[in-house]
Amino acid sequence: MFLLWGCTKTSSTPIFDPESAAAILPLKPGNSWIYMDSTFNVDGSISESDTDTSYVNTITTTIGGVNFFGITDSLGWFGTNSLLAIDPSNTAIYSLDSINATTDPLIVFSLSTSDGYLIGTMNNYSNPTCVGVDGLYGYATTYTIGQYTCYKNIDTLKDCEGNIISTTVMYISPGVGIVRIEEYSQIPGRSSKTMYLDYSQTLQSATLK
């Protein structure tokens, strides 16, 4: 459902407290967010909408001195087993698929100093005969989503011929967390590779300790 990028960490930067109210995504156990999740038809009409509650649970692990916190989000974007962490500089969010993950932490969002800044790329092998490339781009411009001032990342998946297969847009308001996620897919059968919004997850309210 989502794509991530490899990252490395340095030990010279003081570790930011991920439970702080000033965190880009406050990860204090018990913090919760209520979203409206919607799927859309090709014509833009809503196919289905559901209320989705996401919260920081009590599962934790530490990697390289950085604390990861479990996220319960059974209906939403992160699922039921993911753990999230804040970069020591409080500018990025990292993820583990599960507490038993055998891969390194991966980046899901990062603040940027300019619009369209390429944060990172990785190969995508979902089609072994046409290996694609995921690219994560950051934006310094702020966007107003409801009552929140947000920063944006765009995740673009291209196939081996450079055609865009899917795009995910994430908006985050520091001190609040994820405000909106939009997923765009190709319209089936369209040779022009036309994209349409097929999923959104929009923050309705947040309870932060």
Side-chain angles (χ1 to χ4, degrees):
M1 189 174 179
F2 58 94
L3 304 171
L4 306 170
W5 281 260
C7 66
T8 58
K9 299 181 185 298
T10 61
S11 59
S12 60
T13 304
I15 295 175
F16 183 84
D17 179 7
E19 298 185 43
S20 167
I24 183 175
L25 172 60
L27 291 175
K28 189 176 183 66
N31 283 355
S32 64
W33 301 263
I34 296 177
Y35 295 94
M36 179 61 69
D37 300 349
S38 300
T39 57
F40 299 86
N41 299 309
V42 172
D43 64 4
S45 60
I46 295 177
S47 173
E48 183 178 357
S49 290
D50 297 289
T51 300
D52 162 28
T53 299
S54 172
Y55 63 91
V56 183
N57 58 46
T58 59
I59 298 172
T60 61
T61 190
T62 301
I63 298 176
V66 177
N67 295 326
F68 283 76
F69 296 79
I71 299 294
T72 298
D73 188 22
S74 57
L75 295 178
W77 205 67
F78 286 104
T80 57
N81 298 314
S82 294
L83 294 93
L84 300 178
I86 304 300
D87 184 80
S89 63
N90 193 32
T91 58
I93 301 168
Y94 298 102
S95 173
L96 288 174
D97 288 340
S98 74
I99 198 168
N100 298 314
T102 57
T103 57
D104 291 335
L106 301 168
I107 191 169
V108 293
F109 188 92
S110 181
L111 298 178
S112 175
T113 56
S114 61
D115 287 349
Y117 176 76
L118 179 60
I119 295 165
T121 63
M122 68 178 292
N123 290 333
N124 182 279
Y125 296 94
S126 57
N127 181 355
T129 63
C130 184
V131 178
V133 176
D134 299 335
L136 183 64
Y137 299 85
Y139 290 77
T141 298
T142 59
Y143 300 81
T144 300
I145 306 293
Q147 61 181 302
Y148 303 105
T149 299
C150 303
Y151 294 92
K152 178 175 75 173
N153 275 190
I154 296 180
D155 153 12
T156 299
L157 171 61
K158 295 181 179 180
D159 64 18
C160 59
E161 297 179 347
N163 299 308
I164 296 176
I165 302 300
S166 64
T167 299
T168 301
V169 184
M170 181 181 290
Y171 296 91
I172 280 186
S173 180
V176 176
I178 298 169
V179 171
R180 183 170 167 85
I181 297 171
E182 300 170 348
E183 292 188 345
Y184 296 84
S185 299
Q186 286 185 4
I187 295 179
R190 295 288 182 89
S191 59
S192 63
K193 310 297 183 184
T194 304
M195 309 292 288
Y196 77 103
L197 175 66
D198 67 0
Y199 172 83
S200 69
Q201 180 172 329
T202 307
L203 183 64
Q204 305 299 296
S205 63
T207 301
L208 305 176
K209 297 183 177 181

